[in-house]
Amino acid sequence: EPRMSAESAPQNALWLIRALVKGIGQFSDELTKCIPESWKRAMGASLQKNSGSINPHSHEIQHETQKEAGSTQASPHRGIRLSILGGFSVTVNEVPVPESMFGKRYAKLLLIYLALSRKHTAPRHAIIDALWPNCTYGAGVEKIYQATRVIRQAIASIDETCNPIISIRGEKTVMLNDQIFTVDIDRFEEIARIVPTVTDDEELVHLAQEVRCLYRGDIYVPTDDAFSYVETVRRNFCQKYIDTMTIGSEAALRLERYKLAVLLAENAVLVDEYKESSIIALVKAMRACGRSAEAQRCYDDYVRRCLQQENRIPSKELRIIAGDIRDKS
């Protein structure tokens, strides 16, 4: 620990520290306490949850969440994980809960709404406006109660000691119990937020690869149209993924990791074939790999799409890159 405090953050090993401070029980907790604040800032991630410095909205929440999560230290695998990237799934203590158990009384919609809400907390009136816009407040409160009851029953089928939802009557809010709840989009958002500020190429490549693993697909959009605003959130996450893949490809190219640069750029283009910055990254990476013919085809396809769908030509930068390809072919 004294040596850690004296030295600057190891830029090439920040990925390892991130892995060690999550999910390894007491070891993760002890390590988090030892990490200097300068290292935490360098990681670009808040470790407050791991260090236990959670600031509940009130003493009522603190007492309730501590009581409900008191046994979480007993097993490093205990807890609830909600995944909404590329589909919907819930696991309790690493045991999958059948999706059908959340199909009644808007339980799935409520879970997704809270997962997308800031700090996984939302006022009751906001939930009612989003899920049941034509419902009276009193009837909406009853629907929230029914949805939370279904969620609790589904979780209790695996572990009766886990309370997934905390309702605060005085503040009229509903929240996920973050003491035992993790949501896959949280880490995704964290990385997408810090990537533009990272200057170390190795770190950028690592973060891009982590995002590629996290992003198993678009945010799950419920079939119920009452929750239509999820589509807007889905597009926003999609754009963050594209930008992260493009930045990661550029960093890999600078590190002369050409195949990885192609892979990351291809992931970006697969999601949005009209984003020119991603096309530029892909063409450059392919050219660096010696795949000039493929790069030319990629460019030609992009030009055709632009003309047919948007009636425009590529930027001067991309046309210059394409000209370099032709000269070397």
Side-chain angles (χ1 to χ4, degrees):
E1 182 177 349
R3 183 179 175 185
M4 289 169 62
S5 302
E7 295 180 348
S8 59
Q11 295 297 323
N12 294 334
L14 293 179
W15 63 270
L16 176 59
I17 299 174
R18 282 202 186 90
L20 294 176
V21 298
K22 291 185 178 181
I24 316 181
Q26 185 177 0
F27 174 86
S28 292
D29 296 336
E30 294 301 320
L31 178 61
T32 300
K33 295 175 184 177
C34 296
I35 294 177
E37 288 300 321
S38 60
W39 288 31
K40 294 179 183 180
R41 289 193 296 271
M43 291 168 67
S46 172
L47 299 181
Q48 290 183 343
K49 287 185 180 180
N50 294 319
S51 62
S53 56
I54 298 175
N55 295 314
H57 294 232
S58 67
H59 292 296
E60 180 184 357
I61 306 176
Q62 187 173 20
H63 174 73
E64 205 171 338
T65 54
Q66 286 177 349
K67 179 178 67 177
E68 290 162 350
S71 59
T72 57
Q73 298 301 321
S75 169
H77 303 297
R78 185 178 186 276
I80 306 168
R81 179 170 179 80
L82 170 63
S83 298
I84 58 176
L85 287 172
F88 178 92
S89 67
V90 177
T91 60
V92 179
N93 305 340
E94 299 188 342
V95 178
V97 182
E99 184 177 346
S100 59
M101 297 192 72
F102 300 97
K104 301 177 181 178
R105 301 188 183 279
Y106 296 92
K108 188 186 298 183
L109 294 179
L110 180 60
L111 271 179
I112 295 174
Y113 185 88
L114 292 175
L116 296 176
S117 299
R118 186 172 180 272
K119 295 183 179 181
H120 301 158
T121 304
R124 289 193 302 215
H125 68 83
I127 298 172
I128 295 168
D129 289 344
L131 302 187
W132 310 287
N134 300 320
C135 187
T136 64
Y137 181 78
V141 171
E142 177 62 24
K143 288 180 180 294
I144 292 175
Y145 169 76
Q146 292 174 355
T148 55
R149 183 180 179 184
V150 170
I151 294 169
R152 288 191 172 104
Q153 288 176 341
I155 300 302
S157 69
I158 306 296
D159 188 341
E160 294 182 352
T161 66
C162 289
N163 183 13
I165 304 292
I166 298 174
S167 298
I168 308 166
R169 294 182 180 179
E171 299 181 12
K172 297 182 179 180
T173 60
V174 181
M175 63 187 298
L176 297 182
N177 183 356
D178 278 348
Q179 291 273 15
I180 55 175
F181 232 114
T182 58
V183 184
D184 59 349
I185 63 170
D186 290 347
R187 178 59 180 160
F188 178 94
E189 283 194 290
E190 178 187 347
I191 296 175
R193 184 174 61 253
I194 67 174
V195 158
T197 67
V198 176
T199 57
D200 181 76
D201 285 338
E202 287 283 359
E203 179 71 358
L204 282 173
V205 167
H206 166 72
L207 292 173
Q209 290 178 297
E210 186 176 350
V211 164
R212 186 170 67 90
C213 294
L214 284 170
Y215 195 83
R216 298 178 294 117
D218 285 347
I219 284 183
Y220 176 84
V221 180
T223 55
D224 194 310
D225 224 12
F227 206 43
S228 58
Y229 100 95
V230 174
E231 178 61 26
T232 302
V233 179
R234 183 196 68 79
R235 290 194 297 268
N236 179 263
F237 271 70
C238 182
Q239 189 58 57
K240 290 178 180 179
Y241 174 76
I242 294 167
D243 292 342
T244 302
M245 291 298 98
T246 302
I247 293 173
S249 176
E250 294 167 346
L253 187 62
R254 289 191 294 268
L255 293 171
E256 299 183 356
R257 299 170 66 177
Y258 302 132
K259 291 183 179 180
L260 179 59
V262 171
L263 174 64
L264 295 175
E266 282 179 333
N267 276 268
V269 174
L270 282 172
V271 176
D272 186 354
E273 58 185 10
Y274 290 97
K275 189 68 178 292
E276 188 165 290
S277 59
S278 301
I279 296 293
I280 290 174
L282 179 57
V283 169
K284 285 182 176 179
M286 283 183 168
R287 183 176 62 178
C289 277
R291 298 163 59 180
S292 295
E294 291 180 71
Q296 186 61 53
R297 285 197 297 271
C298 174
Y299 172 77
D300 291 340
D301 290 343
Y302 178 72
V303 172
R304 185 174 61 257
R305 291 193 299 269
C306 288
L307 291 174
Q308 291 177 350
Q309 301 296 326
E310 301 180 354
N311 194 28
R312 66 176 179 86
I313 61 174
S315 67
K316 181 179 180 180
E317 178 185 1
L318 183 51
R319 295 201 306 273
I320 290 174
I321 294 172
D324 289 343
I325 294 169
R326 289 194 180 98
D327 291 341
K328 294 178 180 180
S329 298

